[in-house]
Amino acid sequence: MPDKPFVRILGTGRAVPEKILTNADLEKMVDTSDQWIIERTGIRTRHIAEPGTGVAQLAAAAARNALDDAGLGPQDIDLIIVGTVSGDYKFPATACLVQKELGAEKAAAFDVSAACSGFLYSLRLGESLIRTGDFRHALIIGGEVLTSQVDWSDRNTCTLFGDGAGAAVIGPSSDERGILAMHLASDGRHAELLINPGCGSANPPRPDNLHLHAIRMEGREVFRHAVAAMSDGLDQVLGKSGVRLEDIDLLIPHQANLRIIQAVGKKVGMPENRVYVNVDRFGNTSAASIPMAIDEARRSGRIAPGHLVAAVTFGAGFTWAAGLIRF
């Protein structure tokens, strides 16, 4: 048992752009096919933000849904953390734009850059800050418009990514429901295997280097590291909590691609019917992946009160994270 009360998820929400990009659409844009994409990724459709739509707009919409679900208003929130690597601007933080959009004037707000691990990293920070007693209710958001960083001539990456945001309101728990254990990790030695090398201080935008301002990925190496890291993350939170694998009602892996999801499930020994999958409809939404899946699973009945849910993720950095939550 923890020395302080648990912090629990009080409400969840998600938001995606209206526009849907199908594999058939991609066939007209790049040298690929529906069969090739499905066989390698399991993705059939993904939601794409229109030009000019930033992460803050999607994050605020997801946050409103989460607040409604929690029965709280913007004035009840005193902390906003947004996990993203595709914020509206280099600065200010997207979290500050969400604060403005919601009218949550009482909240402190900042972003976390941990790529696909951004939501679980942010959740761990939010939980820790609430447990200090300095904050009571926090909005934890994962949001991305990664299609703004895609090279649409590179079929190995442009077929993967979709846009969206997911949010959770967290606060003190009055019982033993809540965040039971979390694990965060990183290994910067592999940073260049999944990277957008442009837009930062190392490669600021210039007419002669615009080709650098897009996602680059060594897919095979990322696959290998992702499966090992997410499996280890699950082992870590099980060890910290004393929970057995067979007690987990649902495993929510980062929705990177179906092959990775299946490989993680097989490696840890989780039956397929207890592994959540929605990558076929949303693609890889990076930091939005886990909170979007949690919200969808809750609203569809896959997560019910009392259920024990494990979430595992892996992203650029490399970063990875895992969480064990009693709903």
Side-chain angles (χ1 to χ4, degrees):
M1 293 292 292
D3 57 357
K4 291 185 179 182
F6 287 110
V7 173
R8 61 171 292 199
I9 291 178
L10 303 173
T12 59
R14 68 187 189 278
V16 293
E18 290 186 9
K19 182 180 178 180
I20 295 176
L21 188 71
T22 68
N23 291 347
D25 295 326
L26 283 166
E27 288 177 342
K28 303 171 186 176
M29 300 166 59
V30 68
D31 181 18
T32 191
S33 70
D34 179 61
Q35 181 180 356
W36 189 90
I37 296 170
I38 292 174
E39 287 178 353
R40 286 161 178 77
T41 71
I43 300 169
R44 297 176 184 273
T45 62
R46 67 286 289 151
H47 291 253
I48 303 295
E50 296 285 0
T53 299
V55 175
Q57 181 177 331
L58 296 173
R64 290 190 188 95
N65 291 333
L67 286 168
D68 288 344
D69 188 40
L72 297 174
Q75 296 302 314
D76 297 311
I77 299 299
D78 45 19
L79 178 65
I80 301 171
I81 308 176
V82 176
T84 187
V85 290
S86 56
D88 288 33
Y89 313 119
K90 294 298 292 183
F91 62 87
T94 296
C96 293
L97 305 180
V98 173
Q99 178 197 36
K100 175 185 176 182
E101 184 70 19
L102 296 177
E105 294 92 352
K106 299 178 181 178
F110 61 90
D111 290 355
V112 167
S113 176
C116 303
S117 305
F119 176 78
L120 288 185
Y121 266 59
S122 299
L123 184 64
R124 182 68 177 94
L125 279 170
E127 177 211 17
S128 299
L129 289 169
I130 288 174
R131 284 164 65 93
T132 68
D134 291 336
F135 300 90
R136 182 163 180 81
H137 294 126
L139 260 174
I140 309 300
I141 305 168
E144 304 285 10
V145 179
L146 274 184
T147 58
S148 66
Q149 301 180 25
V150 162
D151 176 355
W152 292 102
S153 68
D154 178 8
R155 72 172 185 172
N156 293 311
T157 56
C158 75
T159 58
L160 296 176
F161 297 103
D163 302 327
V169 178
I170 63 173
S173 178
S174 59
D175 52 35
E176 294 188 6
R177 291 183 294 171
I179 300 167
L180 306 187
M182 296 201 73
H183 174 72
L184 309 182
S186 61
D187 187 347
R189 294 175 298 173
H190 306 293
E192 293 187 358
L193 295 178
L194 178 53
I195 188 171
N196 181 341
C199 299
S201 57
N203 294 300
R206 297 191 310 267
D208 63 339
N209 75 353
L210 296 182
H211 64 285
L212 296 177
H213 297 263
I215 297 167
R216 297 287 180 263
M217 179 175 67
E218 297 293 333
R220 290 183 180 179
E221 284 298 300
V222 172
F223 183 105
R224 182 171 65 86
H225 285 281
V227 173
M230 287 197 284
S231 302
D232 177 69
L234 180 59
D235 288 342
Q236 293 290 335
V237 292
L238 291 176
K240 289 179 181 181
S241 63
V243 169
R244 301 174 302 170
L245 180 71
E246 52 265 37
D247 295 327
I248 294 175
D249 295 289
L250 191 65
L251 173 63
I252 299 181
H254 167 50
Q255 305 292 303
N257 75 50
L258 187 58
R259 284 184 173 183
I260 291 178
I261 293 168
Q262 291 173 333
V264 170
K266 183 177 181 180
K267 186 174 178 64
V268 302
M270 181 66 76
E272 286 189 12
N273 64 353
R274 286 194 280 151
V275 179
Y276 197 78
V277 176
N278 66 7
V279 69
D280 55 317
R281 292 175 286 118
F282 296 106
N284 182 347
T285 56
S286 187
S289 166
I290 294 292
M292 283 175 56
I294 289 174
D295 181 63
E296 186 177 60
R298 286 185 66 242
R299 293 176 189 269
S300 67
R302 290 290 301 277
I303 297 175
H307 275 184
L308 191 59
V309 175
V312 294
T313 190
F314 176 87
F318 286 148
T319 63
W320 61 96
L324 190 63
I325 305 166
R326 175 79 70 183
F327 279 84

